[in-house]
Amino acid sequence: MSGSGDQAEGSRRRGDKRSWVIGGGAAAVVALAVVAGLVVADDGPQDIAAPHGCRTSTHGAAPAAGPASDRPAPTGAVPAADFDRDGHPDLAFGAGGSVEGGSGGGSIEVAYGVGNGTGLGRCQYLTQDDPAIPGHNRDEAFFGSDVVARDFDGDGYTDLAASVFDWKPSVIVLWGSEDGLSRATRVPGTDVSHVAWDNDPILDEQLAAGDFDGDGHADLVFGLGSDKGLLKGPFGRDGTPAGTARVPAPRRPAPDVAAANYGDLLAGDLDGDGIDDLVSFHDADTGPEVPWSERNQPVSYLRGGRDGFTQPEGTRLPDAGRGSVGDVDGDGYGDLVLSPRGSDASRSSVTVVYGSEAGPGKRTTTVDRDTPGVPGEEPLDEDAAFSTLDTGDVNGDGYADVVAGAPRWDIYGEPGPEQVLFLPGGPDGLTGAGARLFDGGDLGAAPGGDADFGASVGLTDLDGDGRADLVVAAPGSDTVDGVAWLLPGTAEGPGTEGVTRLYADTFDDTEELGLSMGGAGIAH
């Protein structure tokens, strides 16, 4: 659930996730995902398609891990997804791309970890044509265009919530079990967003998961500005939330913002009170003719609390296209990490808005290619901006680190390098020291931007060694197959030995569809 909202103009990225080209009323680009679920049929509950062996390859041996820091996990760290509760984190990729019987029908892919380096054990490919998942494949349902992972029913297994638009926007939850994602149901009575100054495109409904009321249960937000946009946990196995509550519509960010596309939602604890807050991203300049440096992409902040969301006065956040939350300076407050837009921001910059007891906004740091220690040069073209972000402790020192992906963000963009930047956190936050740059070409991605290397990035500790591993998706194109790279976490950052490749055709090898793995993001 991320992005720039450029569907109508032919962008292949919704917000900052890979999107699909809309032409003649149908989606032309395929995306990826992973999930599972159940629907109650006439003859009773059914299980979804069981996982199968993954097609992967591993290059080199991962270096010996060595001890990680005994510092606690960074504040605001998202719990790792473990759908089968075997102690090994799993991956779920979401997409709204084409499937058999549905252009833009959407699919979900899940890869189950085995705790051996960055190895993967089993894989699942799921669509709404699975008899245990509500609905059926059809054009432009965009099943899995947004996916978030939490334990929504409190049984100890991670579940997966996926957005879908089959006649109206709604949410399908796929329940975890000892066999992995095995059953699914639709959440009843979901409402859509209502933001007066937003264009409110119903295909762009977003999901965010977190504990927004501080009761210890995972909640969902689906419907910005809706009186029942907050779906409270724990959820029943029939999909019914424990309750609903209002999610305020963000204030108009500036008088000159007449309208905007709602592009993304982000959850995290930015004020250290143990309750998740909500950040929303919008795009007031969705046309491809608007230069990157002049784009107006406002960001809004809602503070979570036991009595509901509030909008603190005076909080002003930089315009940005994408964000993540992690405690990069170790002070106990989650920090808001942004890919800034407009004004004087460089295309390859990352801005940290540090959290505090009063929330985000009082102190900021921006790191770019001119910062000492950051490798590489500022890209000269408009199509190389950082458009995906994630945070996690890669080097095991107890501070959240940052990864930022720079694929070719526009389908009509100029060919060029696609890269992922690693920025380590520390007691002074982000400084540029210890930064590393990973080029898609060096890892075997198709050159020139055809692979969309870095369209999704994620950090999760797949092998349980106390260091987050880097997942980079290159969804590919009509002529380039999708691949995801899993780089092990080391004391120096993501390692290039023991790298695992996960191939798109392990999920679906229907040649004419060209599965675009990782195109709609990685579930958090």
Side-chain angles (χ1 to χ4, degrees):
M1 278 178 349
S2 305
S4 65
D6 293 342
Q7 280 186 340
E9 289 73 29
S11 170
R12 63 182 177 182
R13 198 174 315 283
R14 186 182 60 144
D16 284 323
K17 290 183 180 177
R18 182 185 178 97
S19 186
W20 39 87
V21 178
I22 299 296
V29 178
V30 185
L32 130 150
V34 162
V35 140
L38 134 89
V39 69
V40 178
D42 292 342
D43 56 353
Q46 302 179 49
D47 286 348
I48 63 172
H52 58 269
C54 296
R55 182 192 168 206
T56 64
S57 65
T58 302
H59 302 275
S69 168
D70 58 2
R71 285 172 55 93
T75 298
V78 175
D82 187 0
F83 303 117
D84 54 5
R85 201 180 175 186
D86 66 352
H88 305 309
D90 308 316
L91 293 172
F93 303 92
S98 297
V99 294
E100 289 194 50
S103 179
S107 67
I108 297 178
E109 289 80 39
V110 176
Y112 293 86
V114 294
N116 181 19
T118 53
L120 299 171
R122 303 175 298 151
C123 284
Q124 273 178 314
Y125 171 69
L126 295 156
T127 73
Q128 285 186 281
D129 268 1
D130 188 300
I133 296 178
H136 299 281
N137 286 359
R138 71 170 190 85
D139 292 345
E140 299 182 6
F142 306 123
F143 171 61
S145 58
D146 204 0
V147 286
V148 292
R150 291 291 193 285
D151 179 8
F152 292 113
D153 60 357
D155 67 351
Y157 294 92
T158 305
D159 312 305
L160 190 68
S163 60
V164 64
F165 180 77
D166 44 4
W167 311 116
K168 67 176 183 178
S170 64
V171 180
I172 291 174
V173 177
L174 303 111
W175 304 106
S177 73
E178 62 180 346
D179 297 319
L181 294 171
S182 61
R183 304 243 174 137
T185 191
R186 192 187 302 270
V187 177
T190 52
D191 193 18
V192 298
S193 296
H194 305 281
V195 182
W197 54 270
D198 198 292
N199 290 340
D200 200 14
I202 57 176
L203 293 183
D204 272 358
E205 282 302 326
Q206 309 295 310
L207 277 173
D211 182 7
F212 301 108
D213 56 6
D215 66 355
H217 298 291
D219 311 312
L220 278 172
V221 168
F222 184 78
L224 196 64
S226 166
D227 286 340
K228 53 181 180 177
L230 175 61
L231 308 173
K232 295 188 175 186
F235 288 71
R237 277 302 181 97
D238 63 353
T240 303
T244 61
R246 179 173 179 264
V247 179
R251 301 185 186 96
R252 188 184 300 273
D256 59 341
V257 177
N261 278 349
Y262 165 33
D264 197 15
L265 276 181
L266 174 64
D269 181 8
L270 296 167
D271 56 11
D273 64 354
I275 300 174
D276 285 315
D277 308 309
L278 195 65
V279 178
S280 62
F281 297 78
H282 307 261
D283 189 352
D285 299 302
T286 58
E289 72 282 357
V290 179
W292 181 92
S293 59
E294 298 177 12
R295 297 189 73 84
N296 185 358
Q297 296 187 266
V299 180
S300 297
Y301 167 64
L302 296 175
R303 187 172 190 171
R306 297 188 183 278
D307 297 324
F309 287 106
T310 57
Q311 300 189 65
E313 296 286 347
T315 300
R316 175 66 178 170
L317 299 175
D319 282 12
R322 189 73 172 102
S324 185
V325 174
D327 186 4
V328 300
D329 60 356
D331 66 352
Y333 298 99
D335 305 311
L336 180 60
V337 183
L338 299 171
S339 173
R341 295 289 186 268
S343 186
D344 296 326
S346 70
R347 288 182 290 279
S348 60
S349 61
V350 172
T351 293
V352 181
V353 183
Y354 292 95
S356 69
E357 186 176 359
K362 301 301 182 184
R363 182 168 67 99
T364 66
T365 296
T366 295
V367 174
D368 61 19
R369 300 294 176 87
D370 292 330
T371 302
V374 178
E377 297 179 353
E378 173 75 6
L380 299 178
D381 60 275
E382 290 279 341
D383 305 313
F386 288 135
S387 57
T388 57
L389 289 171
D390 201 13
T391 56
D393 186 6
V394 178
N395 54 20
D397 65 355
Y399 298 95
D401 308 313
V402 176
V403 289
R408 300 278 106 184
W409 77 279
D410 192 308
I411 195 170
Y412 304 114
E414 294 292 328
E418 297 180 316
Q419 300 173 328
V420 172
L421 179 66
F422 165 73
L423 297 168
D428 297 320
L430 293 191
T431 65
R436 298 179 64 188
L437 191 65
F438 300 88
D439 191 284
D442 295 338
L443 292 173
D450 290 337
D452 220 16
F453 177 86
S456 295
V457 295
L459 291 174
T460 188
D461 184 7
L462 291 169
D463 55 8
D465 67 353
R467 295 183 171 96
D469 306 304
L470 170 61
V471 182
V472 182
S477 64
D478 293 340
T479 58
V480 176
D481 291 336
V483 180
W485 284 263
L486 285 62
L487 284 68
T490 75
E492 289 74 40
T496 55
E497 297 295 327
V499 175
T500 297
R501 291 189 187 187
L502 175 63
Y503 298 94
D505 61 8
T506 196
F507 298 106
D508 180 71
D509 59 3
T510 307
E511 187 171 345
E512 60 270 20
L513 290 181
L515 182 67
S516 181
M517 188 172 65
I522 301 168
H524 289 83

